[in-house]
Amino acid sequence: FCGLMVALTATKTAPTEKENTKTANALKAAYWPQRAKWLALAFLPSAFLVAVTTHISTDISSGPFVWAPPLIAYIASFIIVFGSKGDKALRFATAALPVVTVCLLVTLTKPSDTLGMLFVTGLNIAVLFAGAIVCHGAMAASRPSTDRLTEFYLIMSLGGVLGGAFCALTAPILFDTIIEHPILLILLLLARPVKSYHFGKKEFTILGVSLAVLIAIFTATKVPSFRENIPFVLVYSLLLIPAALLILQRHHLFMPLLLAAILSITIPVFSQNNASTLAVERGFFGVVKITEQDGYRFMIHGNTIHGSQSLSEDTEKPTSTLYYHENSPIGQVFTAWRHKKRIGAVGLGAGTVACNMGSDQEITFFEIDPLVVKFATNPDYFNFLSACAPNAPIILGDGRLTLQQKPEGYFDVLLLDAFSSDAVPAHLLTREAVRSYFTRVSENGVIMLHISNRHVDLGPILGRIAEAEGLVLRRQQYQPKTIGDEPNFTSGTPSDVVVMARNDDDLAPILQDERWSEVTFTPGRPWTDDYTNIIGAMMEKRSQ
């Protein structure tokens, strides 16, 4: 309507001067680099917003409380830079961005549980906030006159769309791992305002010292005795020396180059632990990697091992390892309920649990990630399924939904093994979910939940649900026998398992076993489909 009114009321005026075509074309050509700069500055924060949200939700949970803080930081950056204090905010963010980026990059070389997931989450959001202010602030400072503002805002919006699309749609196709997160960190540093790229004696000296420290660290970490005896905190301190040198001087180009070097050296050195990688694939639910180390083959989903197999044993009947070893709580339950025929398992992993069954038992798997199914069913990687349950059906989809495809009372034992660290699928741990599980379990059946988790304590959550639903449960926090300071791998690995039933009689096989105890929890609101509290569960874990 406004456009129509302008068209009807506009008056045509003859030009007072003949337009200089050559000058106009030159100005038009010179304007394209500015457009490209606006597009890039809008692209980076939007892409990093999606990368940060993915990074956080992979390790905690996928829910609104995880998505909201990064989005708030991203939107707040627009409000700040286009406000009256935008110039001051840009100067502060330009100085702060390298500092928070260095802190975040250090955490990428070590599993997040050592530093606290909330701390790492805060660092991610701080980098996003500072980086967004730098990029959006540079855009605001270079915005054109009013006659070109429509084009300016259109380009800014287009860059935001392309940034989100890159991380959500393109990156999973281009990269086998979630490498876009550290790459975008480096690109955000490159977006900082730069006055000049002068290379003087001081700059070359700082660069030489920084590279010398990096080369020394890289060489030392190749020596096994150094890796075994030198604390990680010392290595991190050494890494911060070159980073601090570049923060203290004012040259902007060396910082991203140095941090790129730190990433390329430290992440492979410290995160793989000399494991050889056989296969890596990335899908909608994350990265699945197959590695070999110390005579075992592992399936790693995200940051968590989801199965292993010995490379030296007889493959006709593989031995269950890790959380599924016969001495572990899951192994104990399979032994105690050997007389039960029908088993259901939500979460396939490497298919290890198939070899816990007796010859007259049958199992049905429910798995949401097609990549897990692909690797678990390939005997070139793992042969638990082919050796112990070659005809076991695998139903692909969300476990809570696909379980409903089976008749009521179909299973005698139902194993839910979808909570082992990384993101917690909270919708599988609500009153309504537990109620639906028991509709698919026989009258005297039991439900077993593997709740080992680095970040949250799920035991009290299940205790409150059991109390509300009138169920009984027992918990075992298993610690295998050790040889010296190292776990005895042949006895399984530490695991946390809860068994639930309708009454004490159904838990009779383990009721008198002192290894199984009642779940202790403080009174609280049980989780439902309308209410979950991941942060509270994280706090309970940290208070232990």
Side-chain angles (χ1 to χ4, degrees):
F1 178 77
C2 290
L4 179 62
M5 293 299 296
V6 170
L8 293 175
T9 58
T11 57
K12 295 183 178 181
T13 59
T16 57
E17 185 179 337
K18 185 177 180 180
E19 182 180 62
N20 189 321
T21 304
K22 184 177 181 180
T23 303
N25 289 339
L27 290 173
K28 185 177 181 180
Y31 207 66
W32 276 107
Q34 183 62 63
R35 292 188 179 103
K37 183 178 179 181
W38 288 337
L39 192 70
L41 290 173
F43 176 96
L44 288 177
S46 176
F48 196 62
L49 167 66
V50 178
V52 165
T53 305
T54 302
H55 185 71
I56 295 173
S57 60
T58 298
D59 269 332
I60 302 179
S61 180
S62 184
F65 86 99
V66 173
W67 310 326
L71 184 60
I72 290 170
Y74 175 78
I75 294 175
S77 68
F78 286 105
I79 300 172
I80 293 172
V81 301
F82 284 95
S84 60
K85 305 293 184 181
D87 293 340
K88 291 183 179 180
L90 177 57
R91 289 195 298 270
F92 178 79
T94 301
L97 182 58
V99 179
V100 291
T101 302
V102 168
C103 295
L104 180 58
L105 285 175
V106 168
T107 69
L108 296 181
T109 63
K110 189 72 174 164
S112 57
D113 56 323
T114 58
L115 296 172
M117 196 58 212
L118 291 178
F119 175 68
V120 175
T121 300
L123 279 178
N124 272 280
I125 296 174
V127 173
L128 171 63
F129 186 53
I133 288 181
V134 166
C135 293
H136 296 154
M139 290 185 68
S142 62
R143 62 184 181 271
S145 57
T146 54
D147 62 327
R148 287 187 176 272
L149 278 180
T150 301
E151 177 188 34
F152 170 75
Y153 288 119
L154 178 63
I155 293 174
M156 183 172 67
S157 300
L158 177 62
V161 171
L162 294 177
F166 170 76
C167 278
L169 304 176
T170 308
I173 298 175
L174 295 178
F175 308 125
D176 288 333
T177 61
I178 308 178
I179 194 63
E180 67 270 15
H181 181 268
I183 288 176
L184 287 167
L185 283 174
I186 305 303
L187 293 178
L188 283 174
L189 288 170
L190 285 171
R192 297 166 71 223
V194 178
K195 294 182 179 180
S196 68
Y197 285 120
H198 173 70
F199 288 83
K201 183 178 180 180
K202 175 184 175 183
E203 285 75 21
F204 279 113
T205 301
I206 292 176
L207 183 62
V209 172
S210 301
L211 291 177
V213 173
L214 284 175
I215 292 172
I217 294 174
F218 179 73
T219 304
T221 51
K222 289 297 184 181
V223 179
S225 59
F226 178 91
R227 297 185 57 160
E228 294 173 1
N229 300 315
I230 303 300
F232 274 108
V233 65
L234 177 58
V235 177
Y236 292 154
S237 300
L238 294 174
L239 289 175
L240 289 174
I241 292 174
L245 288 174
L246 294 186
I247 289 174
L248 293 175
Q249 61 93 34
R250 299 184 63 82
H251 200 284
H252 298 294
L253 179 61
F254 287 154
M255 170 60 69
L257 294 179
L258 175 79
L259 294 181
I262 291 176
L263 271 177
S264 63
I265 290 176
T266 57
I267 288 183
V269 168
F270 291 127
S271 63
Q272 293 186 10
N273 296 322
N274 290 329
S276 59
T277 301
L278 303 182
V280 179
E281 287 197 38
R282 178 176 177 178
F284 180 81
F285 299 99
V287 177
V288 180
K289 180 165 55 177
I290 308 299
T291 66
E292 287 185 0
Q293 183 180 359
D294 299 332
Y296 285 89
R297 182 171 294 153
F298 299 91
M299 175 187 285
I300 303 175
H301 197 300
N303 298 319
T304 303
I305 297 175
H306 282 273
S308 74
Q309 183 172 356
S310 172
L311 300 177
S312 59
E313 67 175 358
D314 182 6
T315 57
E316 291 185 3
K317 179 67 174 179
T319 301
S320 298
T321 58
L322 295 177
Y323 324 105
Y324 316 101
H325 192 275
E326 61 180 8
N327 295 333
S328 70
I330 292 178
Q332 296 169 30
V333 170
F334 271 90
T335 300
W337 274 270
R338 186 73 73 191
H339 59 287
K340 299 292 186 180
K341 184 177 182 181
R342 288 176 174 169
I343 312 296
V346 176
L348 174 62
T352 315
V353 75
C355 292
N356 288 82
M357 299 190 308
S359 57
D360 59 341
Q361 290 181 308
E362 59 184 49
I363 189 169
T364 301
F365 288 100
F366 301 86
E367 174 58 51
I368 196 171
D369 194 339
L371 287 181
V372 172
V373 176
K374 175 182 176 180
F375 287 120
T377 55
N378 187 342
D380 291 336
Y381 296 120
F382 304 97
N383 73 323
F384 292 110
L385 290 176
S386 59
C388 300
N391 300 317
I394 302 174
I395 301 176
L396 195 63
D398 179 83
R400 180 172 169 182
L401 298 177
T402 52
L403 269 173
Q404 305 308 308
Q405 298 177 13
K406 291 296 183 179
E408 292 188 6
Y410 184 82
F411 296 110
D412 299 308
V413 177
L414 179 60
L415 167 64
L416 286 105
D417 188 16
F419 315 110
S420 299
S421 286
D422 295 339
V424 176
H427 73 292
L428 298 181
L429 283 169
T430 65
R431 287 186 66 177
E432 293 86 348
V434 171
R435 201 178 297 152
S436 70
Y437 303 151
F438 273 98
T439 65
R440 294 306 181 261
V441 172
S442 60
E443 184 178 351
N444 303 116
V446 297
I447 295 176
M448 176 171 37
L449 301 100
H450 180 201
I451 59 172
S452 303
N453 198 287
R454 287 192 297 264
H455 308 306
V456 298
D457 184 6
L458 301 176
I461 295 168
L462 291 172
R464 296 182 188 108
I465 292 175
E467 182 181 59
E469 293 292 314
L471 304 171
V472 295
L473 72 164
R474 291 293 185 273
R475 179 181 188 178
Q476 182 178 162
Q477 294 173 289
Y478 174 72
Q479 291 293 332
K481 297 179 180 178
T482 60
I483 301 177
D485 295 328
E486 296 296 324
N488 182 359
F489 196 72
T490 59
S491 297
T493 50
S495 58
D496 192 355
V497 175
V498 165
V499 178
M500 305 178 72
R502 294 182 177 91
N503 53 64
D504 288 339
D505 292 339
D506 297 336
L507 290 182
I510 64 170
L511 209 57
Q512 303 304 320
D513 190 332
E514 61 182 12
R515 294 173 296 182
W516 294 88
S517 60
E518 295 185 4
V519 176
T520 58
F521 58 91
T522 57
R525 184 179 177 184
W527 284 11
T528 68
D529 287 346
D530 296 322
Y531 168 80
T532 57
N533 184 6
I534 294 288
I535 298 297
M538 293 178 71
M539 292 297 98
E540 287 188 279
K541 180 75 171 182
R542 294 184 65 83
S543 65
Q544 293 179 358

